[in-house]
Amino acid sequence: MSEDLAGRFVVTLDLEGVTDKAGLMDRAARALALPDWFGRNWDALVDSLSDHTVWPEAAVEQGLLVVVRGWRPYAEANPDEWRTAQDVFAEAVDRTPALAVVLALGGSSQGFSGGPGDSVGG
């Protein structure tokens, strides 16, 4: 199954150097410009990702593509947490057809080179 992601507003969630949940939440809050009331927990992240009212303005009409890069060290340091993060991304995508989350291949500072097989719930 393939999905056309062209035309969506792209936000890069760079996890380079992140090895724990707190770091992921801080990076997500910055990358997505989440409001101050963002709770920095898994439920708050899934709610924010699936709530277009907190998305960048352009993403509301275009749809939102979140490209996660630099994720591999986090996945290796905290595999259980990383599985939870992937479940959160997938749940948000399942709730919100205008949202897609993809993992950049290589998991580091390499550019986005993902394809349909790299989509998380999208």
Side-chain angles (χ1 to χ4, degrees):
M1 172 188 339
S2 113
E3 179 178 355
D4 182 14
L5 300 177
R8 292 192 190 211
F9 184 85
V10 178
V11 171
T12 300
L13 175 54
D14 187 354
L15 299 181
E16 193 73 39
V18 170
T19 58
D20 62 12
K21 176 183 169 186
L24 180 140
M25 294 297 166
D26 288 344
R27 295 282 177 92
R30 265 187 269 141
L32 295 162
L34 296 176
D36 290 338
W37 48 259
F38 170 62
R40 286 180 164 69
N41 61 60
W42 297 123
D43 289 336
L45 183 58
V46 75
D47 289 345
S48 295
L49 285 169
S50 56
D51 180 359
H52 66 37
T53 66
V54 298
W55 289 2
E57 188 175 325
V60 175
E61 289 187 26
Q62 295 174 243
L64 179 62
L65 171 60
V66 179
V67 178
V68 183
R69 57 183 262 172
W71 55 271
R72 194 170 308 273
Y74 180 26
E76 292 169 357
N78 275 306
D80 291 338
E81 266 186 26
W82 179 243
R83 277 190 288 281
T84 301
Q86 290 179 90
D87 290 344
V88 164
F89 296 147
E91 183 178 340
V93 167
D94 287 345
R95 286 188 192 179
T96 313
L99 172 68
V101 177
V102 296
L103 304 180
L105 289 177
S108 65
S109 59
Q110 300 168 10
F112 175 70
S113 56
D118 303 311
S119 179
V120 176

